[in-house]
Amino acid sequence: MNYPQNYMKLSAALDEVAAHTSETDVARRLPALREKYTHMGFFLPEASASSQHRFASFNRKLSDHWLKQEAGVLRLDCAILEGKIKTYARDPKTGAQYHVDRRDWKAAAFREESLRGGTIRASAGERIEQYRDWDAVIDEDSFERWLAAEKSRRPIADERKFGALLLEAMRASSDQKNRTKREWRMEASGRFGVSVRAFNRIWKSAIEASGSTWDRPGRPPNHRP
């Protein structure tokens, strides 16, 4: 087997994946992230997008950064388990390298901890235990090719789902919008991956179809910024 000449630790690869994770990528993986945290017994922390208070804005930025990191974990983990990226165990003392089969990763109880830390952790009896405390590395060249391919496959926005949701809301309260247009635009982008241009088109179409007055200026009643 040919072992990588240029390698990087999984933790460094994770940072690069997170840096190239878009809001649309996060929106696509929110259901999986919510399910993951539910299984852990927690709710997924998600900052409110409606408040304009400076502290709320700061919290949103921190939340967005954290969510991109968590979505990056899912992206890289899936790529490893699907065999799109080859991983290796590297002895930090001798430099010896061995290929780690994706099936061994799938059975590893501490796979995510190994990915985040860049050092293999294992439970007794696992095949991957033989590499305990070794560096978890990947072929840098193949990783960059995978990441480039990921960037070229931009996810398709769920314009139809968002349009149906917006139209339903307009029909339910045609004379008074329940949220500001800006809040609906952020919902479209963060949850459905809809661009600003597509949002404006969907907004106009929903107003025409529902006969609502949501295009009039002004905030909803009892709206708190």
Side-chain angles (χ1 to χ4, degrees):
M1 175 177 289
N2 295 324
Y3 294 103
Q5 298 299 314
N6 300 314
Y7 62 85
M8 62 193 307
K9 296 184 72 171
L10 280 179
S11 53
L14 173 58
D15 290 339
E16 191 166 342
V17 172
H20 291 88
T21 295
S22 67
E23 292 183 2
T24 303
D25 291 322
V26 173
R28 294 291 182 187
R29 287 165 175 79
L30 275 179
L33 284 172
R34 292 184 183 118
E35 181 180 0
K36 173 183 174 180
Y37 272 77
T38 298
H39 287 164
M40 295 168 58
F42 300 102
F43 289 106
L44 180 70
E46 297 178 70
S48 171
S50 60
S51 177
Q52 298 305 299
H53 193 281
R54 62 188 182 93
F55 290 119
S57 177
F58 177 73
N59 287 337
R60 283 199 304 276
K61 290 180 180 179
L62 289 179
S63 177
D64 289 346
H65 176 78
W66 182 83
L67 284 173
K68 286 183 178 182
Q69 189 76 14
E70 294 303 296
V73 170
L74 290 183
R75 295 178 66 196
L76 187 56
D77 187 54
C78 287
I80 292 172
L81 295 183
E82 292 172 0
K84 296 179 179 178
I85 298 176
K86 290 185 177 181
T87 60
Y88 302 84
R90 180 179 184 275
D91 187 340
K93 297 179 180 178
T94 66
Q97 297 179 38
Y98 297 92
H99 175 248
V100 180
D101 192 278
R102 61 176 177 168
R103 292 170 293 185
D104 295 341
W105 277 122
K106 188 173 184 179
F110 296 104
R111 183 176 71 247
E112 185 172 318
E113 288 81 359
S114 301
L115 190 157
R116 291 179 184 272
T119 301
I120 294 176
R121 297 183 58 189
S123 294
E126 294 178 341
R127 283 175 53 88
I128 206 171
E129 184 189 9
Q130 61 186 312
Y131 307 124
R132 186 196 298 271
D133 296 330
W134 285 27
D135 293 337
V137 303
I138 59 176
D139 181 349
E140 187 172 352
D141 294 335
S142 65
F143 168 73
E144 293 296 342
R145 288 194 297 270
W146 169 79
L147 190 59
E150 283 283 290
K151 293 177 188 176
S152 67
R153 289 195 298 269
R154 301 181 65 86
I156 301 173
D158 288 329
E159 295 182 9
R160 182 176 299 179
K161 290 183 179 179
F162 173 71
L165 177 67
L166 181 61
L167 181 59
E168 181 181 1
M170 286 186 176
R171 284 174 172 169
S173 178
S174 60
D175 294 330
Q176 184 63 64
K177 55 179 175 279
N178 55 11
R179 283 186 283 178
T180 66
K181 186 175 181 179
R182 178 182 179 276
E183 290 169 352
W184 275 106
R185 185 170 61 247
M186 294 181 69
E187 172 86 356
S189 172
R191 182 178 171 188
F192 297 95
V194 175
S195 67
V196 174
R197 178 178 296 180
F199 168 79
N200 291 331
R201 171 173 47 79
I202 295 170
W203 179 272
K204 181 180 179 180
S205 177
I207 287 177
E208 293 175 351
S210 65
S212 75
T213 60
W214 282 27
D215 55 338
R216 294 178 182 175
R219 292 183 178 274
N222 301 320
H223 183 274
R224 293 183 179 181

